[in-house]
Amino acid sequence: MQSVTTKGARTGLRERKKQATRAALAEAAVRLAAEHGAENVTVEAISDAAGVSPRTFFNYFDSHDDAFVMADPDVGGRIRRAIRDAPAELPPLEAVREAMAGELADVERQHEVWSLRAKVLRKSPHLLARGLGLHMAEERDLARTIARRLGPRAGTEAAAEAGTEADPGDGAKLCDDADIELYPRLLAAVAGTAVRVAIEHWYAHSPPMTFPDIFRDVFTHLSSGLPQPPGQTDDRPSDGRSTES
């Protein structure tokens, strides 16, 4: 038992060190890009700013561009794993919310870096397009994991009918996109949008609003079915036409 515990501790420390190095590289890349433009920032400059070698850079990122759009390429896998391991009685939306909340715990501490990254992406269309492509891929993987959690008709049975074996891992290979039902797709898309809206609203209103409060409010609206909040009225006429003449 002692050897297992020690090994687990070493593995945890090693993983934290890897995450810290990756974060340092991503932050260095974003700060340099914000100052000089992403197209003018080299792998060597990023590595030097982070205090590592260019060879080490490629242990964490496959390409120069990835450093600007992928703060942590493992985050999607951790979210899917948390959803897969969540208590079975937890509703799907709550399982997704808790998994995402765990990964967003330090957003407030990273406010400046997140803001700089958004500016860098807006100024570099090819990076923005790459980021959107990665987001869509993560969303599909999330939908597959949700489908596996929901059970037969959301993916597992469909995969069996197609003659494939369900993946016992994070569900990434559970079924083809065509075999994922509507609800997992919708939940994955809505959850991603909820996180984006929470971050954007926090940028606009912090302080005094904290990110955890906004994040919680966003998912409260979703879980209640998005009813119109009390005190906010819709002044449009019943036929939907504008009141403007």
Side-chain angles (χ1 to χ4, degrees):
M1 178 63 70
Q2 178 63 37
S3 63
V4 172
T5 303
T6 304
K7 180 179 180 181
R10 286 200 303 266
T11 301
L13 177 61
R14 185 160 56 246
E15 182 59 29
R16 288 195 295 273
K17 287 182 176 179
K18 288 174 60 178
Q19 290 180 10
T21 300
R22 182 186 290 114
L25 285 164
E27 180 173 343
V30 168
R31 290 188 180 280
L32 288 170
E35 182 177 357
H36 305 290
E39 65 280 3
N40 299 316
V41 177
T42 65
V43 168
E44 288 75 16
I46 297 170
S47 303
D48 184 64
V52 301
S53 68
R55 181 176 180 179
T56 298
F57 175 94
F58 289 107
N59 289 335
Y60 295 92
F61 299 101
D62 291 335
S63 72
H64 164 273
D65 288 352
D66 283 349
F68 304 110
V69 299
M70 297 178 65
D72 185 350
D74 296 331
V75 65
R78 291 197 298 269
I79 288 174
R80 295 192 297 274
R81 191 177 309 115
I83 292 171
R84 190 177 69 244
D85 295 341
E89 65 274 12
L90 202 64
L93 179 62
E94 292 185 26
V96 173
R97 179 196 64 198
E98 293 304 308
M100 289 182 163
E103 290 297 326
L104 294 168
D106 67 342
V107 163
E108 291 189 317
R109 184 175 61 82
Q110 294 291 326
H111 183 286
E112 182 187 7
V113 176
W114 282 53
S115 181
L116 288 176
R117 179 174 290 108
K119 293 178 181 178
V120 168
L121 295 182
R122 285 197 297 268
K123 291 181 179 179
S124 302
H126 78 285
L127 291 179
L128 182 59
R130 185 176 182 84
L132 289 174
L134 291 170
H135 171 75
M136 291 175 65
E138 289 287 352
E139 185 178 293
R140 287 193 295 271
D141 287 344
L142 178 58
R144 294 187 185 102
T145 299
I146 295 170
R148 183 172 187 270
R149 179 180 176 85
L150 291 173
R153 285 313 313 168
T156 307
E157 187 172 298
E161 291 173 355
T164 58
E165 183 178 353
D167 186 351
D170 67 5
K173 297 180 181 178
L174 173 65
C175 51
D176 294 332
D177 287 350
D179 293 321
I180 303 175
E181 301 237 340
L182 179 61
Y183 181 85
R185 291 176 180 275
L186 182 60
L187 178 52
V190 168
T193 299
V195 170
R196 177 179 59 79
V197 169
I199 290 174
E200 290 176 353
H201 194 73
W202 172 59
Y203 280 162
H205 296 87
S206 64
M209 301 184 73
T210 67
F211 179 77
D213 287 341
I214 295 172
F215 181 85
R216 184 166 50 251
D217 285 348
V218 167
F219 275 85
T220 296
H221 284 303
L222 290 179
S223 63
S224 61
L226 288 178
Q228 183 170 301
Q232 295 186 18
T233 60
D234 188 344
D235 295 329
R236 293 177 302 172
S238 59
D239 63 0
R241 291 177 297 178
S242 171
T243 57
E244 297 180 1
S245 57

